[in-house]
Amino acid sequence: MKNSLRTALVASAAVAMFASTAWLQAQQAPAAGQIQQEGSIAPQAAGQGGRRGRNAGPAEPTPKLADGTVNLGRVPGEKGIWNLPYITNMAMNVIDPATGQPVPEIQAQRAAQAAARGAGGGARGGGGGGGGRGGVKSEPWMPFKPWAAAVYDYNSKNESQYDPEGFCLPPGGPRMFATPYPGEILQLPEQKRIVMIFEGGTHIWREIYMDGREHPKGDQLNPTYLGHSVGHYEDNGQTLVVDVVGFNENSWLDYFGHPHTDKMHVVEKFTRPNKGTLHYVATVDDPGAYTKPFTLAWDIPWNGTSELSEYICQENNRYLNRLQDDFGQPVFGPKQPGIKPVKPAGGTK
Amino acid sequence: MRSIFLRTLVLVSLLAVPATAFAQFGHPFNSPYSGGWGKDNANRLLLDTHWDGTKVTGTINSGGATLNVTDSTFDYSDPSAWKVTLKAEGKDKDGKPVTATLVGALENIGVYYKIFSGTITQGTQKGDFVVTRN
């Protein structure tokens, strides 16, 4: 009897472990946008799939609100969430805004990678090419200022060990739409505002003011992770344009560690070319870190069968307890005595 | 005695919370630093620096005078230990011109607890300094 009980417990544990492993793998599986970063930026008509199921069949028409404005959320009576992709390196999603296509250098890199694969090379993304931890030199189209280039190389060298999102701090700017958890856009025309809610990225939300107000000026503009957003519609109500300023400096642009400053100004454009696709375009102008603006784009697939669920990043985050700085001191928690700790033998960590 | 201990404990707690909460990943000198210089770091050294997109601005107070940063140079050849020079000018409490030059290395760049250490020269005085990001 005891043996039966033990067997049952072991079996239950095995099932639980298998289920949790499968769930974790599903959480970490590349969504449509992650494939984009290694392949081409998907055309607007693509993106019918998603982590939580797929929408089969031909693209359904773009849903509209009662006044004809594009509906960026659910159709009444239906479920649905945007399956935000996992984009680790935004530099691979830089487009020429005039054409909507990747900048020529990215196209050339991808062509070379495709040729290498065709020749049996098998290279894909994460080596020297494709911005895959190649640091600044692998992304010559990125207009880094010298200090930003140094910071990016530093983050590349230590493999993003200080990524603030790993501390469960919120993503800032476009990274909110590249953190692979579902999100929703709630248009509230009667209240002249839009609320975007995100399951990941510390379970956070954004408010976009649609009442014609301007950004606060001077000290009235309180720097925050997500900034201050004002929006309006263009293209006869088919494009939502959001202007964002007032970012703090507590976040990175992406997992790879592209830095930004509090001078960052982002203009986002949201379109929904069909029911299953949200096309996201963000122009980043940060004169504190980059010599000129650049534009990012990717598609976000709709999942019509899912709803948001609870996810708490901070829960059991053991990474923070283990994290050490370049001198081997704990980043969070008591430090060794002395202002400047002695570097441990073996160099930096 | 107990009162001093409790006061110190509260102060340390208050300092610890913002240090954790306000990570900063923009330009490393877009933030204040504090520490000391000279023997046993006995002289207080405060940097209230900002990054305006092209250069470092702000003030350096090495004790007795608040000097305006007039020049900054960076060598990024080692991304994990930048070589930094900051120059500042101003007047002392007697109205005499004072210049200060800090030459050193900026390390621990990826975390809020950044460390800038090296040599400070102010007038005829010279000594080692260490400041950490507040």
Side-chain angles (χ1 to χ4, degrees):
Chain A
M1 187 64 183
K2 266 187 174 176
N3 281 345
S4 303
L5 186 60
R6 198 178 302 157
T7 306
L9 282 171
V10 169
S12 302
V15 168
M17 279 180 68
F18 175 79
S20 59
T21 305
W23 182 84
L24 277 171
Q25 283 174 347
Q27 293 290 308
Q28 292 163 1
Q34 186 179 14
I35 294 167
Q36 288 168 28
Q37 74 167 11
E38 293 176 342
S40 62
I41 292 172
Q44 295 188 8
Q48 292 289 314
R51 174 157 48 88
R52 291 187 180 178
R54 293 183 178 279
N55 303 317
E60 294 181 56
T62 303
K64 305 285 174 72
L65 301 178
D67 65 356
T69 303
V70 59
N71 179 352
L72 298 171
R74 296 179 183 180
V75 172
E78 295 183 4
K79 293 180 178 178
I81 44 99
W82 293 113
N83 262 341
L84 303 179
Y86 186 30
I87 298 175
T88 53
N89 182 3
M90 296 257 180
M92 298 310 294
N93 286 70
V94 175
I95 63 162
D96 176 351
T99 64
Q101 294 301 309
V103 293
E105 295 95 328
I106 295 177
Q107 293 191 38
Q109 272 197 9
R110 287 176 178 161
Q113 287 168 0
R117 280 199 295 275
R124 194 157 184 258
R133 284 298 186 228
V136 170
K137 67 177 186 297
S138 67
E139 301 167 7
W141 59 91
M142 288 300 286
F144 291 104
K145 289 200 165 183
W147 76 267
V151 165
Y152 185 57
D153 275 342
Y154 172 83
N155 292 334
S156 299
K157 189 178 169 186
N158 66 35
E159 299 185 327
S160 300
Q161 75 164 347
Y162 302 125
D163 178 11
E165 201 169 319
F167 307 166
C168 290
L169 293 173
R175 190 175 181 182
M176 202 69 245
F177 290 93
T179 295
Y181 290 85
E184 273 199 73
I185 299 175
L186 307 177
Q187 292 157 284
L188 306 168
E190 68 284 358
Q191 298 179 26
K192 295 184 177 175
R193 65 190 183 120
I194 294 173
V195 177
M196 297 181 176
I197 48 179
F198 302 91
E199 184 178 305
T202 67
H203 233 57
I204 205 168
W205 74 93
R206 278 179 72 182
E207 187 162 5
I208 296 157
Y209 302 108
M210 302 291 289
D211 55 5
R213 74 178 70 180
E214 296 182 344
H215 295 301
K217 300 278 192 295
D219 289 344
Q220 297 298 311
L221 183 60
N222 180 32
T224 55
Y225 284 89
L226 303 185
H228 185 271
S229 299
V230 296
H232 66 276
Y233 290 104
E234 292 181 356
D235 304 330
N236 201 26
Q238 301 315 297
T239 302
L240 170 65
V241 180
V242 182
D243 192 288
V244 199
V245 296
F247 292 98
N248 65 25
E249 296 189 340
N250 300 0
S251 62
W252 291 358
L253 277 180
D254 56 16
Y255 169 74
F256 267 36
H258 288 91
H260 72 81
T261 71
D262 53 9
K263 295 171 177 54
M264 184 165 71
H265 173 205
V266 178
V267 177
E268 299 170 299
K269 292 188 177 182
F270 299 83
T271 52
R272 191 173 190 175
N274 54 60
K275 188 179 179 183
T277 308
L278 184 69
H279 187 59
Y280 178 72
V281 178
T283 298
V284 177
D285 183 9
D286 183 356
Y290 300 93
T291 57
K292 62 181 182 181
F294 53 89
T295 301
L296 309 162
W298 57 86
D299 281 351
I300 300 168
W302 178 252
N303 183 319
T305 61
S306 193
E307 296 176 306
L308 295 179
S309 58
E310 183 175 280
Y311 162 73
I312 305 299
C313 177
Q314 293 88 342
E315 191 172 53
N316 201 27
N317 187 341
R318 297 183 182 183
Y319 181 69
L320 296 184
N321 298 333
R322 295 197 310 265
L323 189 63
Q324 294 184 337
D325 68 14
D326 290 350
F327 296 97
Q329 294 273 20
V331 170
F332 298 90
K335 293 176 173 48
Q336 305 281 332
I339 293 175
K340 184 178 179 183
V342 177
K343 273 192 181 185
T348 57
K349 290 208 169 186
Chain B
M1 189 66 180
R2 193 177 170 211
S3 168
I4 292 172
F5 172 75
L6 284 174
R7 231 178 284 167
T8 308
L9 189 66
V10 168
L11 181 63
V12 167
S13 305
L14 287 172
L15 287 173
V17 169
T20 302
F22 297 109
Q24 186 262 346
F25 301 102
H27 192 287
F29 280 104
N30 197 33
S31 51
Y33 287 74
S34 65
W37 70 279
K39 191 180 179 187
D40 299 326
N41 283 328
N43 307 300
R44 292 290 289 159
L45 179 60
L46 304 172
L47 276 59
D48 185 13
T49 49
H50 308 278
W51 172 249
D52 72 0
T54 56
K55 62 184 185 300
V56 175
T57 63
T59 59
I60 294 174
N61 189 325
S62 55
T66 299
L67 311 177
N68 293 312
V69 175
T70 55
D71 193 22
S72 56
T73 58
F74 295 88
D75 176 348
Y76 308 107
S77 48
D78 179 354
S80 61
W82 300 1
K83 292 173 188 164
V84 181
T85 301
L86 295 180
K87 292 182 179 175
E89 295 176 1
K91 291 181 178 175
D92 66 14
K93 56 190 174 187
D94 299 323
K96 292 179 182 173
V98 180
T99 60
T101 303
L102 281 68
V103 180
L106 179 71
E107 298 171 278
N108 235 8
I109 288 161
V111 297
Y112 63 85
Y113 187 66
K114 297 170 178 59
I115 299 169
F116 180 34
S117 63
T119 304
I120 179 172
T121 305
Q122 181 171 306
T124 57
Q125 295 182 299
K126 192 170 183 177
D128 293 338
F129 74 89
V130 177
V131 289
T132 56
R133 185 185 170 272
N134 291 336

